Amino acid sequence: MTLKALIALVLFLPVLANAQDADRGRAAFSDCAACHMVKAPDGRALFQGAKVGPNLYGIAGRTAGSSKGFNYSPSLRQAGQQGLVWTPETLEAYLKNPTTFLKKWLKDDTARARMAYRQNHSARDIYAFLKSAK
């Protein structure tokens, strides 16, 4: 390997580490399916799951707490009203600890999330899967 190729590889490694993979995300989403499903507006189940949490179809780029037909926590609705949009970064931070995330976002120590599950890996892959689910 030439020195130029080695330098290019070293510089590209951080990009590879942060790359989002929808196939890996689909596999990782199986943990989420204990509470969530991905169901298209036409009724097609893109990922079968429970109905405890909201349907995550179309969540990529959507304002938090804004999907009709689901009773979100007051804190999540408020975060959405204050501009929280689901991006790879915000979803990753939220999944690490939903309540802590909302407390910081809202600058309110009384804020609470209803979601107790924490995901410390695969969040960006899950986002890529949800974004690709059509």
Side-chain angles (χ1 to χ4, degrees), residues 34 48 77 80 88 117 126:
Q48 206 63 325
R77 284 194 312 269
Y117 180 76
I126 291 169

Side-chain angles (χ1 to χ4, degrees), residues 66-99:
S66 66
S67 182
K68 292 180 182 170
F70 188 79
N71 184 21
Y72 293 95
S73 72
S75 297
L76 191 58
R77 284 194 312 269
Q78 184 180 1
Q81 292 165 356
Q82 291 184 12
L84 175 59
V85 172
W86 295 122
T87 65
E89 296 79 17
T90 57
L91 185 65
E92 180 177 41
Y94 180 79
L95 291 178
K96 285 182 181 176
N97 187 321
T99 292

Side-chain angles (χ1 to χ4, degrees), residues 9 19 24 33 42 48 53 58 111 116 119 133:
L9 179 63
R24 281 194 316 250
D42 65 8
Q48 206 63 325
Q119 170 67 274

Side-chain angles (χ1 to χ4, degrees), residues 35-56:
C35 295
H36 299 279
M37 68 177 133
V38 181
K39 188 174 187 178
D42 65 8
R44 286 178 298 124
L46 303 172
F47 201 105
Q48 206 63 325
K51 297 179 183 179
V52 175
N55 175 10
L56 297 183

